[in-house]
Amino acid sequence: LRREVKRPVVCTLQGEELFIEGLVEPYRTEALERIRSQVAHVDHFIPVSQYCSDFMTRYLRLPKDKSSVVPLGINMQGYDRRPPAPEREFRIGYFARIAPEKGLHVLADAYVRFRHRIPDSRARLEAAGYASPAHVRYLDQVKRILKQADLEKEFTYHGVVDREGKLGFLRNLDLLSVPATYDEPKGMFLLEAMACGVPVVQPRRGAFVEIVEKTGGGLLVAPDDPDALANAFVDLYKDRSVTEALGNKGFQNVRTHYSVELSAERLLQVYESVLSERRAPAT
């Protein structure tokens, strides 16, 4: 392509390693070697987070001067602030694919611990997202965790939702948590929750760290630790003023740092830079 169209090639990076690492040998090593062999033919790389940039630079052996971080952004239209509802149940939400690496089982375990620490609380665990046929058994395992604690009636799986359904789902939450068991490079669900004024509780790993620290819209806890998650849930349940303050920060700062307009503007700057470099006379 680069040779035939005589134009620079720019490649976005946003979590491809998860697929590559899931391959069995010898295909994983072969795929990685083939990708690395093509790096020289790409003019520039655009990782979607600083974590993604640091990791992929090592993983694909990229030259450090051939990449620019451009965070993803979302269209804020329709993302209204969640309405205050002090009298209803405390709703902890999950919005992502239903898959082990996204950590719904960790969240279910943390929810059980949260409810044991505040047994008189009125609470619910709400989940939405695509579950492939291969992960139906996994979802059943998650339900069993709650059933064994006699909490299955407090769990609802909403399945796949369209955009309007997603917005309504998020606005009905008091907090969102997707405790992924790997270093997530994107974290789009965090941006969507915070855009509705919903605070997040996330493991301190991958792109979660920079998103939460940049927006101030949530709490970071130790990875793969249901106890740490449960402690954070208890703190936010007991002090709704903190929950509201985190939600307000996220609502404001996600618009400052993660709008689709800002993302497009940054992409154009990278493209212009690549074109300018191509037009520059050879030295």
Side-chain angles (χ1 to χ4, degrees):
L1 270 174
R2 188 171 182 263
R3 181 179 62 249
E4 292 299 322
V5 302
K6 297 180 175 58
R7 293 292 182 273
V9 173
V10 178
C11 178
T12 300
L13 301 173
Q14 51 180 340
E16 295 75 17
E17 73 277 6
L18 186 63
F19 175 81
I20 298 169
E21 289 301 308
L23 297 174
V24 297
E25 293 293 2
Y27 306 109
R28 186 189 71 83
T29 297
E30 182 181 348
L32 192 54
E33 288 176 351
R34 289 194 179 199
I35 293 169
R36 286 171 174 168
S37 72
Q38 299 302 311
V39 165
H41 304 296
V42 178
D43 293 84
H44 211 75
F45 292 90
I46 302 181
V48 296
S49 66
Q50 189 58 53
Y51 161 76
C52 182
S53 176
D54 295 340
F55 176 82
M56 294 301 266
T57 295
R58 298 189 303 270
Y59 189 64
L60 299 183
R61 300 173 185 167
L62 306 180
K64 291 187 177 180
D65 61 348
K66 284 186 69 170
S67 67
S68 302
V69 176
V70 178
L72 295 171
I74 60 173
N75 180 352
M76 299 294 170
Q77 185 175 358
Y79 285 91
D80 301 322
R81 191 188 298 268
R82 68 187 178 97
E87 301 302 321
R88 72 175 190 196
E89 309 103 329
F90 188 72
R91 295 178 182 173
I92 297 172
Y94 169 101
F95 183 71
R97 285 186 299 107
I98 307 299
E101 64 270 15
K102 293 294 185 181
L104 182 57
H105 62 291
V106 180
L107 181 58
D109 190 353
Y111 182 81
V112 171
R113 296 170 194 236
F114 159 72
R115 290 289 281 108
H116 285 170
R117 289 170 199 179
I118 310 183
D120 298 327
S121 61
R122 295 175 60 237
R124 291 198 60 78
L125 179 59
E126 308 278 347
Y130 172 68
S132 72
H135 290 134
V136 171
R137 287 186 178 181
Y138 169 71
L139 181 57
D140 289 339
Q141 292 170 6
V142 170
K143 292 176 179 177
R144 278 198 294 272
I145 293 173
L146 298 163
K147 186 173 183 179
Q148 288 167 0
D150 199 26
L151 295 172
E152 70 272 21
K153 292 182 180 178
E154 296 181 11
F155 175 69
T156 302
Y157 169 55
H158 296 264
V160 177
V161 293
D162 59 15
R163 191 170 194 274
E164 286 304 311
K166 171 178 67 176
L167 296 174
F169 173 81
L170 293 172
R171 282 196 293 266
N172 278 318
L173 302 179
D174 290 285
L175 67 87
L176 178 127
S177 182
V178 181
T181 60
Y182 69 105
D183 293 337
E184 160 73 44
K186 293 181 286 188
M188 284 288 286
F189 38 79
L190 303 188
L191 307 183
E192 294 181 304
M194 288 188 285
C196 291
V198 176
V200 301
V201 179
Q202 289 298 116
R204 185 179 289 276
R205 68 190 321 161
F208 299 154
V209 178
E210 60 200 85
I211 292 173
V212 173
E213 289 183 346
K214 185 175 285 188
T215 60
L219 302 176
L220 294 168
V221 301
D224 306 316
D225 189 340
D227 261 327
L229 278 174
N231 289 338
F233 298 163
V234 170
D235 290 343
L236 295 181
Y237 175 83
K238 287 183 173 180
D239 194 340
R240 303 300 176 91
S241 65
V242 173
T243 307
E244 195 67 24
L246 291 173
N248 288 337
K249 284 183 181 178
F251 183 84
Q252 295 164 4
N253 290 328
V254 78
R255 285 163 170 76
T256 300
H257 300 292
Y258 292 102
S259 71
V260 71
E261 292 85 1
L262 183 59
S263 183
E265 182 180 326
R266 289 174 174 170
L267 276 172
L268 288 172
Q269 290 171 355
V270 173
Y271 295 156
E272 287 292 343
S273 174
V274 172
L275 289 171
S276 297
E277 186 175 306
R278 187 181 181 88
R279 287 193 293 259
T283 59

PDB file of all heavy atoms in Angstrom, residues 30 36 69-70 97 104 106 112-113 148 170 175 185 201 204 213 227 229-230 237 239 250 253 262 267 280 283:
ATOM      1  N   GLU A  30       5.011 -16.596  15.673  1.00  0.00           N
ATOM      2  CA  GLU A  30       5.092 -16.285  14.236  1.00  0.00           C
ATOM      3  C   GLU A  30       4.367 -14.977  13.924  1.00  0.00           C
ATOM      4  O   GLU A  30       4.869 -14.138  13.163  1.00  0.00           O
ATOM      5  CB  GLU A  30       4.486 -17.426  13.419  1.00  0.00           C
ATOM      6  CG  GLU A  30       4.588 -17.196  11.919  1.00  0.00           C
ATOM      7  CD  GLU A  30       3.971 -18.320  11.102  1.00  0.00           C
ATOM      8  OE1 GLU A  30       3.667 -19.372  11.682  1.00  0.00           O
ATOM      9  OE2 GLU A  30       3.807 -18.117   9.878  1.00  0.00           O
ATOM     10  N   ARG A  36       6.330  -7.421  13.771  1.00  0.00           N
ATOM     11  CA  ARG A  36       7.551  -6.651  14.028  1.00  0.00           C
ATOM     12  C   ARG A  36       8.315  -6.387  12.733  1.00  0.00           C
ATOM     13  O   ARG A  36       8.918  -5.320  12.563  1.00  0.00           O
ATOM     14  CB  ARG A  36       8.439  -7.401  15.018  1.00  0.00           C
ATOM     15  CG  ARG A  36       7.928  -7.372  16.459  1.00  0.00           C
ATOM     16  CD  ARG A  36       8.716  -8.311  17.351  1.00  0.00           C
ATOM     17  NE  ARG A  36       8.319  -8.188  18.747  1.00  0.00           N
ATOM     18  CZ  ARG A  36       8.682  -9.041  19.700  1.00  0.00           C
ATOM     19  NH1 ARG A  36       9.447 -10.091  19.400  1.00  0.00           N
ATOM     20  NH2 ARG A  36       8.279  -8.851  20.949  1.00  0.00           N
ATOM     21  N   VAL A  69       0.721   9.680  21.189  1.00  0.00           N
ATOM     22  CA  VAL A  69      -0.475   9.277  21.917  1.00  0.00           C
ATOM     23  C   VAL A  69      -1.640  10.197  21.551  1.00  0.00           C
ATOM     24  O   VAL A  69      -1.527  11.418  21.631  1.00  0.00           O
ATOM     25  CB  VAL A  69      -0.235   9.321  23.440  1.00  0.00           C
ATOM     26  CG1 VAL A  69      -1.524   9.003  24.196  1.00  0.00           C
ATOM     27  CG2 VAL A  69       0.873   8.350  23.832  1.00  0.00           C
ATOM     28  N   VAL A  70      -2.757   9.607  21.152  1.00  0.00           N
ATOM     29  CA  VAL A  70      -4.000  10.352  20.917  1.00  0.00           C
ATOM     30  C   VAL A  70      -5.109   9.625  21.683  1.00  0.00           C
ATOM     31  O   VAL A  70      -5.614   8.604  21.220  1.00  0.00           O
ATOM     32  CB  VAL A  70      -4.363  10.442  19.426  1.00  0.00           C
ATOM     33  CG1 VAL A  70      -5.695  11.181  19.261  1.00  0.00           C
ATOM     34  CG2 VAL A  70      -3.263  11.154  18.648  1.00  0.00           C
ATOM     35  N   ARG A  97     -17.869  -6.166  27.743  1.00  0.00           N
ATOM     36  CA  ARG A  97     -18.101  -7.541  27.299  1.00  0.00           C
ATOM     37  C   ARG A  97     -18.161  -8.472  28.509  1.00  0.00           C
ATOM     38  O   ARG A  97     -17.464  -8.270  29.502  1.00  0.00           O
ATOM     39  CB  ARG A  97     -16.976  -8.012  26.381  1.00  0.00           C
ATOM     40  CG  ARG A  97     -17.018  -7.454  24.994  1.00  0.00           C
ATOM     41  CD  ARG A  97     -15.963  -8.083  24.093  1.00  0.00           C
ATOM     42  NE  ARG A  97     -14.598  -7.854  24.573  1.00  0.00           N
ATOM     43  CZ  ARG A  97     -13.837  -8.781  25.124  1.00  0.00           C
ATOM     44  NH1 ARG A  97     -14.282 -10.015  25.302  1.00  0.00           N
ATOM     45  NH2 ARG A  97     -12.604  -8.493  25.519  1.00  0.00           N
ATOM     46  N   LEU A 104     -15.910  -9.621  35.512  1.00  0.00           N
ATOM     47  CA  LEU A 104     -17.221  -9.596  36.155  1.00  0.00           C
ATOM     48  C   LEU A 104     -17.260 -10.523  37.371  1.00  0.00           C
ATOM     49  O   LEU A 104     -17.934 -10.228  38.363  1.00  0.00           O
ATOM     50  CB  LEU A 104     -18.315  -9.977  35.152  1.00  0.00           C
ATOM     51  CG  LEU A 104     -19.758  -9.955  35.678  1.00  0.00           C
ATOM     52  CD1 LEU A 104     -20.119  -8.588  36.251  1.00  0.00           C
ATOM     53  CD2 LEU A 104     -20.740 -10.350  34.579  1.00  0.00           C
ATOM     54  N   VAL A 106     -14.807 -11.044  39.416  1.00  0.00           N
ATOM     55  CA  VAL A 106     -14.151 -10.304  40.498  1.00  0.00           C
ATOM     56  C   VAL A 106     -15.136  -9.316  41.119  1.00  0.00           C
ATOM     57  O   VAL A 106     -15.207  -9.157  42.344  1.00  0.00           O
ATOM     58  CB  VAL A 106     -12.895  -9.566  39.979  1.00  0.00           C
ATOM     59  CG1 VAL A 106     -12.217  -8.786  41.106  1.00  0.00           C
ATOM     60  CG2 VAL A 106     -11.918 -10.533  39.339  1.00  0.00           C
ATOM     61  N   VAL A 112     -20.407  -9.348  46.923  1.00  0.00           N
ATOM     62  CA  VAL A 112     -20.765 -10.211  48.061  1.00  0.00           C
ATOM     63  C   VAL A 112     -20.089  -9.714  49.334  1.00  0.00           C
ATOM     64  O   VAL A 112     -20.724  -9.610  50.396  1.00  0.00           O
ATOM     65  CB  VAL A 112     -20.368 -11.671  47.765  1.00  0.00           C
ATOM     66  CG1 VAL A 112     -20.529 -12.533  49.022  1.00  0.00           C
ATOM     67  CG2 VAL A 112     -21.207 -12.239  46.619  1.00  0.00           C
ATOM     68  N   ARG A 113     -18.821  -9.371  49.263  1.00  0.00           N
ATOM     69  CA  ARG A 113     -18.088  -8.875  50.428  1.00  0.00           C
ATOM     70  C   ARG A 113     -18.644  -7.529  50.898  1.00  0.00           C
ATOM     71  O   ARG A 113     -18.751  -7.279  52.106  1.00  0.00           O
ATOM     72  CB  ARG A 113     -16.595  -8.749  50.088  1.00  0.00           C
ATOM     73  CG  ARG A 113     -15.952 -10.095  49.777  1.00  0.00           C
ATOM     74  CD  ARG A 113     -14.549  -9.941  49.206  1.00  0.00           C
ATOM     75  NE  ARG A 113     -14.082 -11.192  48.621  1.00  0.00           N
ATOM     76  CZ  ARG A 113     -12.953 -11.802  48.970  1.00  0.00           C
ATOM     77  NH1 ARG A 113     -12.168 -11.286  49.902  1.00  0.00           N
ATOM     78  NH2 ARG A 113     -12.608 -12.940  48.394  1.00  0.00           N
ATOM     79  N   GLN A 148     -24.803 -18.363  45.767  1.00  0.00           N
ATOM     80  CA  GLN A 148     -24.252 -19.001  46.963  1.00  0.00           C
ATOM     81  C   GLN A 148     -24.281 -18.064  48.166  1.00  0.00           C
ATOM     82  O   GLN A 148     -24.296 -18.516  49.312  1.00  0.00           O
ATOM     83  CB  GLN A 148     -22.819 -19.472  46.684  1.00  0.00           C
ATOM     84  CG  GLN A 148     -22.754 -20.675  45.756  1.00  0.00           C
ATOM     85  CD  GLN A 148     -21.363 -20.957  45.241  1.00  0.00           C
ATOM     86  OE1 GLN A 148     -20.401 -20.250  45.579  1.00  0.00           O
ATOM     87  NE2 GLN A 148     -21.230 -21.996  44.426  1.00  0.00           N
ATOM     88  N   LEU A 170     -26.523   3.650  32.207  1.00  0.00           N
ATOM     89  CA  LEU A 170     -25.477   4.361  32.948  1.00  0.00           C
ATOM     90  C   LEU A 170     -26.060   5.397  33.899  1.00  0.00           C
ATOM     91  O   LEU A 170     -25.583   5.555  35.026  1.00  0.00           O
ATOM     92  CB  LEU A 170     -24.504   5.031  31.969  1.00  0.00           C
ATOM     93  CG  LEU A 170     -23.640   4.076  31.128  1.00  0.00           C
ATOM     94  CD1 LEU A 170     -22.867   4.851  30.075  1.00  0.00           C
ATOM     95  CD2 LEU A 170     -22.686   3.287  32.015  1.00  0.00           C
ATOM     96  N   LEU A 175     -22.335   3.935  40.859  1.00  0.00           N
ATOM     97  CA  LEU A 175     -20.920   3.839  40.502  1.00  0.00           C
ATOM     98  C   LEU A 175     -20.765   2.723  39.492  1.00  0.00           C
ATOM     99  O   LEU A 175     -21.628   1.845  39.369  1.00  0.00           O
ATOM    100  CB  LEU A 175     -20.033   3.605  41.734  1.00  0.00           C
ATOM    101  CG  LEU A 175     -20.135   2.288  42.494  1.00  0.00           C
ATOM    102  CD1 LEU A 175     -19.231   1.205  41.904  1.00  0.00           C
ATOM    103  CD2 LEU A 175     -19.722   2.504  43.944  1.00  0.00           C
ATOM    104  N   PRO A 185      -5.933  -1.191  27.630  1.00  0.00           N
ATOM    105  CA  PRO A 185      -5.296  -0.027  27.012  1.00  0.00           C
ATOM    106  C   PRO A 185      -6.239   1.127  26.690  1.00  0.00           C
ATOM    107  O   PRO A 185      -5.787   2.198  26.313  1.00  0.00           O
ATOM    108  CB  PRO A 185      -4.735  -0.607  25.711  1.00  0.00           C
ATOM    109  CG  PRO A 185      -5.719  -1.674  25.350  1.00  0.00           C
ATOM    110  CD  PRO A 185      -6.220  -2.247  26.643  1.00  0.00           C
ATOM    111  N   VAL A 201     -14.779   2.909  40.076  1.00  0.00           N
ATOM    112  CA  VAL A 201     -13.816   2.266  40.975  1.00  0.00           C
ATOM    113  C   VAL A 201     -13.086   1.221  40.152  1.00  0.00           C
ATOM    114  O   VAL A 201     -13.701   0.252  39.695  1.00  0.00           O
ATOM    115  CB  VAL A 201     -14.503   1.624  42.195  1.00  0.00           C
ATOM    116  CG1 VAL A 201     -13.450   0.943  43.080  1.00  0.00           C
ATOM    117  CG2 VAL A 201     -15.281   2.657  42.996  1.00  0.00           C
ATOM    118  N   ARG A 204      -5.794  -0.443  39.753  1.00  0.00           N
ATOM    119  CA  ARG A 204      -4.695   0.436  39.346  1.00  0.00           C
ATOM    120  C   ARG A 204      -3.833  -0.299  38.321  1.00  0.00           C
ATOM    121  O   ARG A 204      -2.815  -0.911  38.638  1.00  0.00           O
ATOM    122  CB  ARG A 204      -3.879   0.834  40.572  1.00  0.00           C
ATOM    123  CG  ARG A 204      -2.773   1.843  40.287  1.00  0.00           C
ATOM    124  CD  ARG A 204      -2.014   2.200  41.545  1.00  0.00           C
ATOM    125  NE  ARG A 204      -2.835   2.994  42.423  1.00  0.00           N
ATOM    126  CZ  ARG A 204      -2.997   4.312  42.335  1.00  0.00           C
ATOM    127  NH1 ARG A 204      -2.374   4.980  41.369  1.00  0.00           N
ATOM    128  NH2 ARG A 204      -3.761   4.953  43.185  1.00  0.00           N
ATOM    129  N   GLU A 213      -6.816   9.418  37.056  1.00  0.00           N
ATOM    130  CA  GLU A 213      -6.015  10.509  37.613  1.00  0.00           C
ATOM    131  C   GLU A 213      -6.224  11.814  36.846  1.00  0.00           C
ATOM    132  O   GLU A 213      -6.234  12.889  37.444  1.00  0.00           O
ATOM    133  CB  GLU A 213      -4.536  10.114  37.617  1.00  0.00           C
ATOM    134  CG  GLU A 213      -4.223   9.031  38.651  1.00  0.00           C
ATOM    135  CD  GLU A 213      -2.742   8.697  38.717  1.00  0.00           C
ATOM    136  OE1 GLU A 213      -1.991   9.094  37.791  1.00  0.00           O
ATOM    137  OE2 GLU A 213      -2.339   8.027  39.685  1.00  0.00           O
ATOM    138  N   ASP A 227     -11.389  -7.623  47.943  1.00  0.00           N
ATOM    139  CA  ASP A 227     -11.487  -6.915  49.226  1.00  0.00           C
ATOM    140  C   ASP A 227     -11.294  -5.416  49.043  1.00  0.00           C
ATOM    141  O   ASP A 227     -12.014  -4.610  49.640  1.00  0.00           O
ATOM    142  CB  ASP A 227     -10.445  -7.443  50.215  1.00  0.00           C
ATOM    143  CG  ASP A 227     -11.042  -8.455  51.181  1.00  0.00           C
ATOM    144  OD1 ASP A 227     -12.236  -8.311  51.526  1.00  0.00           O
ATOM    145  OD2 ASP A 227     -10.334  -9.387  51.561  1.00  0.00           O
ATOM    146  N   LEU A 229     -11.812  -3.674  46.337  1.00  0.00           N
ATOM    147  CA  LEU A 229     -13.000  -3.156  45.666  1.00  0.00           C
ATOM    148  C   LEU A 229     -14.150  -2.975  46.658  1.00  0.00           C
ATOM    149  O   LEU A 229     -14.807  -1.931  46.686  1.00  0.00           O
ATOM    150  CB  LEU A 229     -13.445  -4.116  44.558  1.00  0.00           C
ATOM    151  CG  LEU A 229     -12.744  -4.056  43.203  1.00  0.00           C
ATOM    152  CD1 LEU A 229     -13.255  -5.187  42.319  1.00  0.00           C
ATOM    153  CD2 LEU A 229     -12.958  -2.718  42.522  1.00  0.00           C
ATOM    154  N   ALA A 230     -14.380  -4.004  47.478  1.00  0.00           N
ATOM    155  CA  ALA A 230     -15.474  -3.947  48.450  1.00  0.00           C
ATOM    156  C   ALA A 230     -15.279  -2.786  49.427  1.00  0.00           C
ATOM    157  O   ALA A 230     -16.247  -2.088  49.769  1.00  0.00           O
ATOM    158  CB  ALA A 230     -15.562  -5.269  49.208  1.00  0.00           C
ATOM    159  N   TYR A 237     -20.609   4.116  49.556  1.00  0.00           N
ATOM    160  CA  TYR A 237     -21.979   3.919  50.046  1.00  0.00           C
ATOM    161  C   TYR A 237     -22.230   4.748  51.301  1.00  0.00           C
ATOM    162  O   TYR A 237     -23.290   5.368  51.446  1.00  0.00           O
ATOM    163  CB  TYR A 237     -22.215   2.441  50.343  1.00  0.00           C
ATOM    164  CG  TYR A 237     -23.564   2.156  50.959  1.00  0.00           C
ATOM    165  CD1 TYR A 237     -24.699   2.023  50.160  1.00  0.00           C
ATOM    166  CD2 TYR A 237     -23.716   2.037  52.338  1.00  0.00           C
ATOM    167  CE1 TYR A 237     -25.939   1.773  50.714  1.00  0.00           C
ATOM    168  CE2 TYR A 237     -24.959   1.787  52.907  1.00  0.00           C
ATOM    169  CZ  TYR A 237     -26.062   1.654  52.089  1.00  0.00           C
ATOM    170  OH  TYR A 237     -27.297   1.421  52.652  1.00  0.00           O
ATOM    171  N   ASP A 239     -20.582   7.467  52.390  1.00  0.00           N
ATOM    172  CA  ASP A 239     -20.424   8.919  52.232  1.00  0.00           C
ATOM    173  C   ASP A 239     -20.828   9.328  50.828  1.00  0.00           C
ATOM    174  O   ASP A 239     -20.004   9.390  49.923  1.00  0.00           O
ATOM    175  CB  ASP A 239     -18.983   9.337  52.524  1.00  0.00           C
ATOM    176  CG  ASP A 239     -18.838  10.836  52.719  1.00  0.00           C
ATOM    177  OD1 ASP A 239     -19.737  11.577  52.270  1.00  0.00           O
ATOM    178  OD2 ASP A 239     -17.836  11.266  53.320  1.00  0.00           O
ATOM    179  N   GLY A 250     -15.686  13.884  37.369  1.00  0.00           N
ATOM    180  CA  GLY A 250     -15.652  13.099  36.145  1.00  0.00           C
ATOM    181  C   GLY A 250     -16.489  13.727  35.052  1.00  0.00           C
ATOM    182  O   GLY A 250     -16.060  13.810  33.899  1.00  0.00           O
ATOM    183  N   ASN A 253     -14.480  16.884  33.800  1.00  0.00           N
ATOM    184  CA  ASN A 253     -13.154  16.682  33.224  1.00  0.00           C
ATOM    185  C   ASN A 253     -13.134  15.719  32.045  1.00  0.00           C
ATOM    186  O   ASN A 253     -12.228  15.788  31.206  1.00  0.00           O
ATOM    187  CB  ASN A 253     -12.187  16.219  34.310  1.00  0.00           C
ATOM    188  CG  ASN A 253     -11.880  17.329  35.298  1.00  0.00           C
ATOM    189  OD1 ASN A 253     -11.856  18.504  34.937  1.00  0.00           O
ATOM    190  ND2 ASN A 253     -11.672  16.970  36.554  1.00  0.00           N
ATOM    191  N   LEU A 262     -11.951  16.807  20.570  1.00  0.00           N
ATOM    192  CA  LEU A 262     -10.541  16.952  20.943  1.00  0.00           C
ATOM    193  C   LEU A 262      -9.715  15.821  20.361  1.00  0.00           C
ATOM    194  O   LEU A 262      -8.590  16.040  19.876  1.00  0.00           O
ATOM    195  CB  LEU A 262     -10.415  16.988  22.470  1.00  0.00           C
ATOM    196  CG  LEU A 262      -9.010  17.202  23.033  1.00  0.00           C
ATOM    197  CD1 LEU A 262      -8.420  18.515  22.534  1.00  0.00           C
ATOM    198  CD2 LEU A 262      -9.043  17.183  24.562  1.00  0.00           C
ATOM    199  N   LEU A 267      -5.769  13.978  16.285  1.00  0.00           N
ATOM    200  CA  LEU A 267      -5.456  13.108  15.150  1.00  0.00           C
ATOM    201  C   LEU A 267      -5.015  13.926  13.942  1.00  0.00           C
ATOM    202  O   LEU A 267      -4.029  13.588  13.274  1.00  0.00           O
ATOM    203  CB  LEU A 267      -6.686  12.275  14.780  1.00  0.00           C
ATOM    204  CG  LEU A 267      -6.925  10.989  15.563  1.00  0.00           C
ATOM    205  CD1 LEU A 267      -8.283  10.397  15.192  1.00  0.00           C
ATOM    206  CD2 LEU A 267      -5.822   9.975  15.303  1.00  0.00           C
ATOM    207  N   ALA A 280       9.207  17.416   3.713  1.00  0.00           N
ATOM    208  CA  ALA A 280      10.468  18.098   4.011  1.00  0.00           C
ATOM    209  C   ALA A 280      11.549  17.588   3.061  1.00  0.00           C
ATOM    210  O   ALA A 280      11.629  16.393   2.753  1.00  0.00           O
ATOM    211  CB  ALA A 280      10.882  17.837   5.452  1.00  0.00           C
ATOM    212  N   THR A 283      17.794  15.501   3.737  1.00  0.00           N
ATOM    213  CA  THR A 283      19.044  16.093   4.189  1.00  0.00           C
ATOM    214  C   THR A 283      20.178  15.117   3.976  1.00  0.00           C
ATOM    215  O   THR A 283      19.963  13.926   3.875  1.00  0.00           O
ATOM    216  CB  THR A 283      18.946  16.467   5.685  1.00  0.00           C
ATOM    217  OG1 THR A 283      18.651  15.272   6.412  1.00  0.00           O
ATOM    218  CG2 THR A 283      17.861  17.486   5.944  1.00  0.00           C
TER     219      THR A 283
END
